[in-house]
């Protein structure tokens, strides 16, 4: 697996539903997006650059690059700086997006098999998980979400593979990147690797604007 993400989304309800309704095939509003970026990067020098880019390719931007899009009902922002070991520590300014909104953070890095995600409802954290084979469970807050349950129940074990029977058991009951793909689909509506579903958001048809942030 080679998946890496640093993604933050705000929506009036479920992010996948709002992306399908507002964003697929429709360019983001420039003024709304500029205002979103200005609000979420207070005190930083931000200027247009490096875009546009589709959501599928934008989920792990280069350093100091961000991709963003704002539509009625949904905002999306991609930046490596959202890749927090403990998602619950996301700055309050990034969580606060308006009354009644849902905020979703999704981050993973294939080099270290690390996954983190979190969900806030109306600014209140309801779930946060951060896990890797080397670090173990770094954060596990709130009630586990339905898509997680089969993983914690041992239904997706890792190895040992036929040629590696003497290898040490994998230190977790599942592979974080496998859960990460299911988390991305459930929380944002698409996957990076694996089989596509007819219900998935077509992330290649969601265009984001590029910004340089310093």
């Amino acid at each position: 697996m080679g998946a890496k993400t640093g993604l933050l989304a705000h929506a009036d309800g479920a992010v996948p539903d709002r992306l399908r309704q507002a964003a697929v095939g429709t360019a983001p509003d420039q003024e709304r997006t500029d205002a979103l970026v200005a609000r979420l990067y207070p005190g930083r020098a931000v200027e247009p650059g490096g875009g546009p880019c589709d959501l599928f390719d934008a989920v792990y931007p280069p350093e100091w690059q961000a991709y963003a899009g704002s539509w009625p009902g949904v905002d999306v922002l991609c930046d490596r700086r959202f890749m927090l070991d403990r998602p619950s520590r996301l700055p309050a300014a990034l969580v606060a997006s308006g009354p009644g909104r849902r905020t979703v953070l999704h981050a993973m890095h294939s080099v270290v098999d690390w996954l983190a995600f979190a969900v806030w409802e109306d600014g209140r954290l309801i779930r946060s998980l951060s896990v890797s084979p080397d670090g173990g469970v770094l954060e596990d807050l709130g009630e586990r979400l339905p898509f997680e349950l089969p993983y914690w129940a041992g239904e997706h074990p890792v190895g040992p593979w036929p040629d590696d029977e003497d290898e040490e058991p994998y230190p977790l009951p599942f592979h974080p990147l496998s859960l990460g793909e299911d988390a991305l689909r459930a929380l944002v509506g698409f996957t990076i690797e694996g089989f596509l579903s007819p219900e998935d958001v077509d992330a290649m048809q969601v265009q984001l604007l590029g910004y340089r942030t310093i």
Side-chain angles (χ1 to χ4, degrees):
M1 294 183 177
K4 303 178 182 70
T5 64
L7 183 150
L8 185 70
H10 301 290
D12 298 337
V15 176
D17 293 343
R18 286 300 184 176
L19 279 178
R20 291 188 197 96
Q21 294 167 6
V24 174
T26 302
D29 183 279
Q30 182 76 57
E31 291 187 5
R32 289 176 61 102
T33 306
D34 289 348
L36 170 72
V37 173
R39 177 171 61 81
L40 297 184
Y41 290 92
R44 289 188 178 273
V46 179
E47 59 185 26
C53 183
D54 66 69
L55 176 59
F56 186 87
D57 290 326
V59 290
Y60 185 69
E63 193 173 7
W64 308 118
Q65 174 74 46
Y67 293 106
S70 181
W71 300 262
V74 63
D75 302 319
V76 177
L77 189 63
C78 300
D79 192 322
R80 290 191 194 185
R81 281 167 285 190
F82 301 147
M83 301 174 75
L84 304 177
D85 286 343
R86 289 171 171 77
S88 66
R89 297 181 182 177
L90 186 72
L94 296 175
V95 175
S97 64
R101 301 198 92 195
R102 167 175 285 195
T103 299
V104 170
L105 181 151
H106 188 281
M108 60 184 178
H109 201 298
S110 57
V111 173
V112 291
D113 291 353
W114 168 72
L115 163 70
F117 66 84
V119 180
W120 293 260
E121 297 284 1
D122 198 15
R124 181 177 63 88
L125 181 70
I126 64 169
R127 178 66 176 137
S128 180
L129 177 69
S130 178
V131 60
S132 72
D134 290 336
V137 179
L138 301 172
E139 187 162 86
D140 185 5
L141 304 176
E143 185 175 346
R144 290 171 179 165
L145 301 174
F147 63 83
E148 299 179 64
L149 299 181
Y151 287 90
W152 294 106
E155 296 179 22
H156 299 279
V158 181
W161 308 112
D163 295 336
D164 298 321
E165 293 182 358
D166 295 331
E167 187 176 297
E168 288 292 322
Y170 196 73
L172 295 169
F174 54 82
H175 198 292
L177 299 187
S178 295
L179 174 57
E181 292 287 350
D182 278 347
L184 187 61
R185 171 175 275 151
L187 298 176
V188 189
F190 69 100
T191 63
I192 298 173
E193 297 185 336
F195 296 104
L196 296 177
S197 165
E199 292 78 30
D200 285 348
V201 171
D202 187 348
M204 293 184 180
Q205 296 300 314
V206 177
Q207 293 298 308
L208 302 180
L209 305 178
Y211 297 84
R212 304 289 190 190
T213 61
I214 301 174

